[in-house]
Each structure stands twice: as C-alpha cells, then as structure tokens.
Amino acid sequence: MPEYKAPIEDIQFLLHKWLKVSDHYKKYGYDEAADPELIDAIITEGAKFSEEVLLPINQKGDEQGCQFDNGTVTTPEGFKEAYQQYCANGWPSVSSDPQYGGQGLPYSISVVLAEMISSANMAWGMYPGLSQGVIEALHAHGSDEQKEKYLPALISGEWTGTMCLTEPHCGSDLGILKTKAEPNDDGSYNITGTKIFISAGEHDMTNNIVHLTLARLPDAPEGTKGISLFIVPKFTLTDDGQPGERNPVTCGSIEHKMGIKASATAVLNFDSAKGYLIGEANQGLRYMFTMMNAARLATGQQGQALNSVSYQNALAYAKDRLQMRALSGPKAPEKSADPIIVHPDVRRMLLTQKAFAEGNRALAYYVATLVDTELRAEGERKEKAHKELSFLTPICKSFMTEAGHETTNIGMQILGGHGYIGEWGLEQFARDVRITQIYEGTNGIQALDLLGRKILMDKFKTLRRIQKKIKYFCKDASSDKALKPFASDLKKLLSKWFMLTLTVARKAGKNREEVGAAAHDYLMYSGYIYLGFIWLQLAYTARKDSDNKELAESKLATCRFYFERILPRVKMHAANIKSGADNLMDIPDNQF
C-alpha cells in the first residue's frame, strides 16, 4: 500500500515564511486565523485525518469502486464512515460564512486541507469537494430564503451538492444544452432533461443532494444567453426545511472509469423534477462560473496533490531499491548494489517531481490568498486581485494538471515494473490524475480562455501588470549572488514573453485560427515562466528568512534544477507558437 505523510514542514514554510499569512489575515479581518498556533493546529489535525482515515481506504476504494443497483449507489467500504467523521470534526464548514454555520476562516486555509485530502484519497475528496462550489454559488447568487434553506445543511456536510452542466450531446459547448425548465403557478419549475458526468451525483453518504442545474426557460434566447440556473434537490424540503418527498431526478447509471473509481460519476435523469430559479432568468452561466472557477482551482490542486504523493512514494522506493552500481563507483559498498537514487536519470525524474510538487503547491497557496483578498478587500485592491486571479486560474487548472500527469507517470517509471502493478499504488495515482486534464473545462478550453479572453481581450493590461511585478522582484533577487543568474534569465524571458504575445496578436488580427493554434503552447509557456517566478521567490525567502539551513539548501538546489532543466522547455513552446496555424489547418480532413 502506498504511504502518505503530509508535507507539514513545507506547508508551514510557505504559509509563515513566504506568504506571511498572519499579516495577510489581519489585513482582511480574519483576526482569529492570524494566530500561527491555530493555523498549525488545523494543519496538524487535517494531516492526521488524511493520513489515518482517508489513506487506508484509498486503494480499497479503487478496487471496490461504487456499486449501482436500480438507481441506488453504494460507496466503497469505509467511505461513509470517513465522511461522518469528517463532518463530526467540523471540516466542511472551515471557510464558510458564520451566518449559516460556517467557521469563517480564510479560503486559503481550506486549500491546505484540500491538498492533503486529495493526496490521501482523491476519489473520496470528490464528495465534499463539489459541495464547496455549490455553497459559493448559492452564497453569491441565491436569495435570502434559498440561503436559509440550503446553506446550513450544505456547510455542516449534512447534505452534499453537485454541478449539473454537461449533457450527452454537449460538453464544453453549453450554448446547445437542451434541458428544459417549465414554470409552475407556485413559482417553481419543472426540470426535464439528462445530465451526464455528474460527480457525486448519487451516493449513500448523506440524506440529501442539492443539484445546481443549468436549463432553458420556454422563451429563452438561443445560445449561452438563454441559460438559467436552478436548485434541484434530490428530496424536496418540507415546511421545516427537512428532506421530504423524493424529487423525480434519478440516477440512470454510473460510469466505469479509468480512475477515481470510488467517486460516483452519474447519469442523472430529470423527469419534471421540481426546481427553483437562482437569481435572474437567463443569467445561469454567469452564476455557474462562480462555482466553475472554484472547481478549476481545486482541479489544478488535485494535479499537484497526486504529484506530491507520487513523489513521496517514488523517493522512498529510490532510496531503498538496490540496482547496479553508480557510474563513478560504489556508493554503498557494504550492500550488493547501490540504491537507485545514485543514478543520474533517477535523480532527474525525482527532481522533476519535486520541482513541480513544491512549486505548484506554492502557486496554489498564493492563488488562494488572492481569493481571500478578492472576498474581503475593496476598491482598487479588490479589482487587482480579481484580475490576477482570473489570469492565473486557467494556468493553475491546466499547467498544474499537465504537470500532475507528467509526474505521476514519472513515479511509475521510477518503480519500474513495480510501478505498473497495483500493489504499490503508483499506477492508481497516474490513473486518478488523468481526469484533471479533462473535467471542469478541458485544458484546451483553459488555454483559449487565457490567450483569447485574459490576454487579447484584456489588451495585455493584466499581463503587463504581472510582468512588472516579476521584473521588480528579479531586481531584489539579484542582490543574492546565488540567485542572480536565475533572476537575470527570468528577466530576459519577460521581454520574450511580451513579444511572443504581440506576435500572436498580430497574426490573429489576420487569421483567428492563430489563437487556437497557439493557445496550448502559450499557456504552457506562461506557466513555466510564472513557476520560475515562484521558484525564485521560494529560494530567496528560504535563504533570507528561514532558520532551517537544510530547507534553504534544498530550495536553492531545486530552484537551480528548475531554471537549468525545466524552464528551457519554453524554447520549444515558443517555436511551436511561431510556426503558426498553417501546419495545422492546411491539411485536408480526408488526409488525417
């Protein structure tokens, strides 16, 4: 069975030394959370729950999967009990509004917990994970009555929630969805249609499930402008707010998947199910983006979390597994062979895992503090946080999941044949992480969003602001002799990044296909540069503010590896972008 130990030392370094979250929380009125001892206590208890409760049922859950019988879904052995303990410990309510039973702690604390949960048991984490997005969407757009009815039970974990967008004929193209909403005299609506790929759409862990569902009113405009958002509970509520009659929204089947087999991915059939309109008619897609953006950040973090646990297990194996001798001579002469960690190629793979695991963890935590700021700040500071968050969301979702796919496969490779068989658990990480590149908007969609909407439509304004911040930090980092070469390299890349963006914009002015042709490579190019900025900050902080010499040396060494071995990948992506759309679009369909 694979092992998992929450990387508490690195988490504490990021929160206390790098992000200085106590000061951050005080600035935005999270006075209770500003206590470092409270933060550390939450981390420690979250680690204990993840390691002792969730990890032991992860592999078993993968083997058993969910069972479907005539519309009923049974989760794997131990899942329901773990969820009950999760709720009893108060974990679902950590960052929610105290007015509805939440603890009112910062979003960035919940992100730390989410990483540990996904590392220990990603499939289990899907059940409470979607509820957080439902809570945020209802809190932002629901009526006071809807909030009073649904938020307390969702926040306590008594109920869970889902996001019902995808239909059999439409995936990311929601403009062609067909689910109908017919108005009733009492102000409710009858929802009719079929939704697919609904994570946690049916299960046995709670006594109600709240489905946030996109549908069309009879007089709705065509396309995305005619979509409304509805609350469709599994059980309609009685006058005292308790689950009452069974609503005709039923599970037709669950999917048999490559990974996250213990997460029930449902086909839901709505047969004149009672639904309740959220906010204004035809504004559903805008409302749903509140939930989708939260889900995209969470998805990126799933990629990082499985990267992290795969690295832990690959590292332990590499230190223990004996195979051949080092090329420069025996390193463990008392043993029959050397541990494989002495071999350069194994070290290359391990350092790639480490660089992405620690760098993307830092990126996820930083972005989480932007969410804190957006929620609590006002005026210009709020707007700047919103713009930067919007810019970084598609990068987090795509770049971090691409890295998760790469590094979990590296973990398998380090274990060789043992990595390919189920006993060691490395192949499960690779299977589980694969969905993260697909759901919550495919990585191709995220790339189009970054380049088309967040760069070109924004007329480079947010890009310039971010580049300016990076440039200023490079000046500070240059004061450290060990970091000066990396700061210089990063600074040079900033001008290349801008010129490359300008090149794409000019080409797109003549041919819109150039945006789609460049999008994937542009997102990866941007992600590598931004992660270089993150690594430069981590090394700088560790050397300047940390009293842990070993940690400071480790951050510097990993930063060096990133700049010398990984960051050069941008050259390939730049070449792909410059090659243009013709080599993709000129070939006739019949020649594929």
Side-chain angles (χ1 to χ4, degrees), residues 92-367:
S93 64
V94 166
S95 61
S96 294
D97 189 344
Q99 181 178 346
Y100 304 102
Q103 299 178 48
L105 295 173
Y107 173 83
S108 51
I109 287 181
S110 70
V111 162
V112 178
L113 298 173
E115 180 199 343
M116 294 188 286
I117 288 170
S118 289
S119 287
N121 195 327
M122 177 177 160
W124 183 93
M126 297 290 290
Y127 293 95
L130 269 295
S131 298
Q132 294 305 311
V134 173
I135 290 167
E136 290 177 30
L138 279 176
H139 192 274
H141 307 295
S143 67
D144 289 342
E145 181 184 2
Q146 289 170 343
K147 293 176 187 178
E148 292 290 345
K149 276 187 175 182
Y150 294 99
L151 284 181
L154 285 165
I155 287 171
S156 70
E158 182 182 352
W159 303 341
T160 58
T162 73
M163 178 169 58
C164 296
L165 291 78
T166 306
E167 299 181 5
H169 64 285
C170 71
S172 298
D173 187 3
L174 294 172
I176 59 173
L177 71 81
K178 296 179 180 178
T179 300
K180 298 184 299 183
E182 298 285 346
N184 297 315
D185 292 339
D186 63 358
S188 66
Y189 296 79
N190 286 342
I191 310 299
T192 302
T194 297
K195 300 289 185 178
I196 64 171
F197 302 153
I198 309 305
S199 298
E202 178 61 32
H203 57 79
D204 60 351
M205 289 162 64
T206 61
N207 65 1
N208 207 359
I209 303 173
V210 180
H211 305 292
L212 290 198
T213 306
L214 293 179
R216 289 187 183 282
L217 294 168
D219 58 349
E222 293 184 1
T224 56
K225 293 180 180 180
I227 298 174
S228 299
L229 182 61
F230 299 85
I231 300 170
V232 186
K234 177 179 176 180
F235 292 93
T236 58
L237 304 187
T238 61
D239 290 340
D240 60 355
Q242 296 303 308
E245 293 184 3
R246 184 71 160 86
N247 211 0
V249 49
T250 57
C251 181
S253 63
I254 58 174
E255 305 295 349
H256 300 279
K257 310 185 296 292
M258 173 182 176
I260 54 168
K261 294 182 177 181
S263 171
T265 305
V267 174
L268 294 182
N269 297 315
F270 296 77
D271 186 12
S272 294
K274 190 81 74 174
Y276 307 92
L277 180 67
I278 296 175
E280 299 178 18
N282 304 322
Q283 296 296 314
L285 194 58
R286 181 169 67 86
Y287 298 157
M288 186 63 89
F289 265 106
T290 300
M291 186 174 185
M292 289 172 68
N293 285 332
R296 286 168 177 173
L297 293 174
T299 300
Q301 190 172 36
Q302 287 176 332
Q304 182 275 326
L306 291 188
N307 174 177
S308 180
V309 68
S310 179
Y311 168 60
Q312 283 190 18
N313 284 271
L315 177 61
Y317 183 88
K319 288 181 176 180
D320 184 65
R321 173 70 166 172
L322 303 179
Q323 198 87 139
M324 300 184 293
R325 291 294 186 186
L327 296 175
S328 56
K331 304 302 179 187
E334 74 285 1
K335 297 179 180 179
S336 59
D338 288 332
I340 63 172
I341 196 171
V342 306
H343 303 308
D345 195 54
V346 173
R347 298 173 81 85
R348 172 190 63 82
M349 291 188 284
L350 286 170
L351 280 166
T352 300
Q353 286 190 301
K354 177 179 170 64
F356 281 125
E358 294 180 9
N360 281 334
R361 175 181 298 120
L363 175 57
Y365 289 10
Y366 170 68
V367 169

Side-chain angles (χ1 to χ4, degrees), residues 363 391-400 450 523 526-527 530:
L363 175 57
F391 182 93
L392 290 175
T393 294
I395 291 177
C396 285
K397 197 282 181 184
S398 290
F399 185 79
M400 291 168 67
L450 175 67
L523 185 143
S526 304
Y530 201 89

Side-chain angles (χ1 to χ4, degrees), residues 432-539:
D432 285 352
V433 83
R434 186 60 183 87
I435 186 59
T436 63
Q437 296 166 286
I438 299 171
Y439 63 13
E440 307 307 343
T442 65
N443 285 0
I445 294 292
Q446 302 306 308
L448 283 170
D449 178 49
L450 175 67
L451 181 54
R453 189 172 287 119
K454 308 300 170 54
I455 300 287
L456 300 181
M457 289 178 64
D458 187 53
K459 297 181 180 178
F460 308 176
K461 286 184 286 189
T462 304
L463 174 64
R464 287 176 192 245
R465 190 180 303 123
I466 288 172
Q467 288 186 328
K468 186 176 181 180
K469 181 170 73 171
I470 297 173
K471 184 177 179 180
Y472 282 149
F473 181 76
C474 286
K475 184 177 180 181
D476 292 339
S478 294
S479 64
D480 185 325
K481 186 177 179 180
L483 298 177
K484 188 174 181 178
F486 310 138
S488 176
D489 288 346
L490 189 59
K491 189 176 178 181
K492 290 174 185 175
L493 273 175
L494 293 178
S495 58
K496 293 180 180 179
W497 189 10
F498 186 81
M499 292 307 297
L500 192 64
T501 309
L502 199 60
T503 297
V504 174
R506 286 170 176 165
K507 286 186 174 183
K510 299 176 182 178
N511 178 8
R512 293 299 294 171
E513 299 288 7
E514 291 288 347
V515 177
H520 167 75
D521 288 288
Y522 186 87
L523 185 143
M524 296 302 292
Y525 186 96
S526 304
Y528 282 120
I529 291 177
Y530 201 89
L531 197 64
F533 173 45
I534 293 287
W535 263 113
L536 195 61
Q537 292 179 76
L538 298 182

Side-chain angles (χ1 to χ4, degrees), residues 17 542 545-549:
K17 298 294 186 179
D545 294 338
S546 176
D547 52 6
N548 186 330
K549 184 179 178 181

